[in-house]
Amino acid sequence: QVLHGLCSSSVENYVPALCVKSVTLVSDVLTEEDEGAIVQQRRIMSLLAELGWCDRVSELLASQDNDVLEKTVAALHTLLPACGDRLTQQQPGALVAVLQRLSALEHHWQEQSASSDDAQDQYFASMQESARQLRTRLVQCGVHSNCTVTVAQVVPTDQADRASDHSHTEL
């Protein structure tokens, strides 16, 4: 609940950077590969969905900072078991907005990749692919009306851990 409070834009001292760090921490906890933690991860995901965490994380897609976007896309991959059904069934308008934003990010990162040097090209191509994969998974959730998968089926990405000089590029 404390971490959720850090992501509430209605809080007087809302700091987006703390929200991103909260999202990253939750994502890291949920991708921990300790077998004994899987039951706890499922409980955490359920609680996060109940607290409105899915909405808060989705709102971070509006950022113009590549570092924030990178961490948000990675977190949404991780949180898809908890958030996918909510987006596709309970909030179809929110799903459309997320899909449109992911599509726009794919296009933007494709352009960035084409006009960058080799290292940045690889970074932006990876970001584009991650957004494409998330968009595809969300569309599949909508078509099949069921996003519930086990935590073990979630493919963790290493993007949030990657430190790069170009990750703070503004969109």
Side-chain angles (χ1 to χ4, degrees):
Q1 288 178 344
V2 171
L3 294 176
H4 178 264
L6 291 173
C7 285
S8 179
S9 57
S10 62
V11 173
E12 183 179 321
N13 297 325
Y14 175 69
V15 179
L18 288 178
C19 182
V20 172
K21 290 199 181 290
S22 298
V23 168
T24 302
L25 175 62
V26 168
S27 182
D28 289 348
V29 166
L30 293 174
T31 56
E32 185 66 35
E33 294 189 22
D34 179 4
E35 286 184 37
I38 291 177
V39 172
Q40 186 65 22
Q41 291 168 340
R42 288 182 184 152
R43 279 192 228 136
I44 291 170
M45 279 197 194
S46 178
L47 179 62
L48 292 173
E50 289 174 25
L51 290 172
W53 194 264
C54 302
D55 301 333
R56 298 290 181 243
V57 175
S58 297
E59 289 170 5
L60 290 173
L61 286 174
S63 176
Q64 298 297 305
D65 183 304
N66 280 327
D67 186 48
V68 171
L69 292 166
E70 177 180 19
K71 291 173 182 173
T72 301
V73 169
L76 283 171
H77 273 286
T78 302
L79 292 170
L80 193 60
C83 298
D85 286 337
R86 178 172 175 78
L87 282 171
T88 59
Q89 296 174 9
Q90 297 174 10
Q91 300 176 330
L95 175 62
V96 170
V98 168
L99 291 173
Q100 288 174 341
R101 180 62 177 151
L102 288 170
S103 181
L105 289 171
E106 282 180 72
H107 179 72
H108 172 74
W109 286 326
Q110 180 179 27
E111 288 178 349
Q112 292 294 316
S113 178
S115 65
S116 300
D117 62 34
D118 286 341
Q120 285 186 330
D121 173 47
Q122 190 173 17
Y123 169 77
F124 288 120
S126 173
M127 291 301 300
Q128 176 193 2
E129 180 61 16
S130 184
R132 187 199 62 74
Q133 288 175 355
L134 179 59
R135 190 172 52 80
T136 299
R137 290 177 69 199
L138 281 167
V139 168
Q140 290 172 345
C141 288
V143 169
H144 299 294
S145 298
N146 184 359
C147 290
T148 307
V149 295
T150 66
V151 175
Q153 290 173 305
V154 176
V155 179
T157 67
D158 64 345
Q159 292 177 337
D161 297 331
R162 208 177 311 138
S164 58
D165 294 334
H166 49 274
S167 66
H168 292 286
T169 305
E170 297 290 322
L171 292 179

